[in-house]
């Protein structure tokens, strides 16, 4: 029994089985700034590629392409890092490891090999990461596969995020398990706000894809009916 090792960590609930914890050496403000700057910096290459591949791209479409590039990087590299290293996340001291330990102050499941988050993050990294990059490519090239794939990816993101929220809230309401530290900043800024993007934006993109798909089918039916009338 390794009780002292499991207790000497900052994560909640108290006594959560976090083994081999090593404290971060980078402060939280610096970690958040690095992550935000890295995410924002992705807009520059996205805009440059868009200007070359599809000049005159509307701003809305550029922002959608940027969203999918951002999702691809976060899903494939950041969440993929967790899926690959989940067994010893608490002891890792590289940048991604420290970022995950900082985020885990709002959700200790990432430090305890929780089956749901491990499986959810693995699916996200393997499927939604590469497909997000394809969606960005499809936006820039006007691929006919853009909206079917955009709908699938957005629905997958939404479904995973809803389960992520609901399982946490279920455990808190029914079993009294709170995975976030008592300081409300961690709960509202990390757990709620950071994940809310993958609720709101996928819903908007799903609505767009449904509208575009419905319009395409309507045009197709109209052309087919016109061809039948001509044939008669």
């Amino acid at each position: 029994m390794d009780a002292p090792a499991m207790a000497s960590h900052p994560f909640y609930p108290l006594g959560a089985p976090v083994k081999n914890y090593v404290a971060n050496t980078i402060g939280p403000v610096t970690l958040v700034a690095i992550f935000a700057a890295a995410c924002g910096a992705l807009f520059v290459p996205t805009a440059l590629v868009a200007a070359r591949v599809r000049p005159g791209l509307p701003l809305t479409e550029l922002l959608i392409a940027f969203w999918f590039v951002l999702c691809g990087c976060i899903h494939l590299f950041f969440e993929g890092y967790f899926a690959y290293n989940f067994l010893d996340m608490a002891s890792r001291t590289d940048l991604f490891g420290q970022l995950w330990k900082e985020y885990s102050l709002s959700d200790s499941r990432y430090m305890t090999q929780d089956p749901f988050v491990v499986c959810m993050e693995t699916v996200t990294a393997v499927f939604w990461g590469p497909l997000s990059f394809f969606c960005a490519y499809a936006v820039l090239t006007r691929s006919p596969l853009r909206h079917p794939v955009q709908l699938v990816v957005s629905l997958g993101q939404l479904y995973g995020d809803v389960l992520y929220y609901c399982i946490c809230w279920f455990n808190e309401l029914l079993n009294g398990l709170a995975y976030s530290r008592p300081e409300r900043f961690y709960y509202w800024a990390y757990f709620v706000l950071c994940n809310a993007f993958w609720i709101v934006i996928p819903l908007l993109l799903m609505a767009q894809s449904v509208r575009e798909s419905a319009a395409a089918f309507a045009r197709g039916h109209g052309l087919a009916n016109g061809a039948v009338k001509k044939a008669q």
Side-chain angles (χ1 to χ4, degrees):
M1 183 80 173
D2 191 17
M6 291 192 294
S8 57
H9 60 74
F11 307 107
Y12 271 60
L14 296 175
V18 179
K19 297 181 179 180
N20 303 316
Y21 171 71
V22 177
N24 280 352
T25 59
I26 305 175
V29 174
T30 302
L31 285 170
V32 171
I34 291 173
F35 185 78
C39 291
L42 292 172
F43 184 79
V44 176
T46 302
L48 292 175
V49 172
R52 183 178 183 86
V53 173
R54 190 177 164 187
L57 181 70
L59 178 60
T60 301
E61 293 289 272
L62 176 60
L63 292 176
I64 292 173
F66 169 64
W67 165 253
F68 280 119
V69 169
L70 177 64
C71 287
C73 289
I74 291 176
H75 294 337
L76 187 59
F77 301 117
F78 188 57
E79 291 172 283
Y81 172 95
F82 170 81
Y84 185 78
N85 296 293
F86 72 93
L87 287 173
D88 64 339
M89 282 301 303
S91 66
R92 303 193 69 83
T93 57
D94 53 25
L95 178 59
F96 276 9
Q98 296 200 44
L99 280 166
W100 274 116
K101 281 187 283 185
E102 176 64 20
Y103 176 77
S104 295
L105 294 172
S106 74
D107 188 351
S108 65
R109 291 178 294 175
Y110 285 92
M111 294 292 114
T112 59
Q113 299 85 49
D114 179 84
F116 169 72
V117 297
V118 171
C119 293
M120 183 267 294
E121 295 293 5
T122 301
V123 170
T124 299
V126 171
F127 292 100
W128 311 144
L131 286 175
S132 290
F133 285 122
F134 175 81
C135 285
Y137 164 83
V139 171
L140 298 183
T141 60
R142 295 182 176 177
S143 169
L145 292 174
R146 181 260 180 94
H147 285 291
V149 178
Q150 177 175 296
L151 183 60
V152 169
V153 172
S154 298
L155 179 59
Q157 292 173 327
L158 176 66
Y159 181 69
D161 214 15
V162 168
L163 283 179
Y164 176 72
Y165 276 136
C166 290
I167 290 175
C168 182
W169 290 334
F170 181 92
N171 274 328
E172 184 170 358
L173 291 174
L174 272 73
N175 300 322
L177 288 175
Y179 299 109
S180 178
R181 286 187 57 83
E183 298 90 345
R184 303 315 291 168
F185 169 81
Y186 294 112
Y187 180 80
W188 290 107
Y190 288 179
F191 182 77
V192 174
L193 178 61
C194 289
N195 291 288
F197 292 106
W198 279 271
I199 296 286
V200 176
I201 297 177
L203 279 172
L204 295 174
L205 293 177
M206 288 168 61
Q208 181 194 51
S209 292
V210 168
R211 287 195 305 269
E212 292 294 333
S213 298
F217 276 108
R219 288 192 297 269
H221 290 319
L223 291 174
N225 290 337
V228 170
K229 290 180 180 180
K230 286 184 179 179
Q232 293 174 347

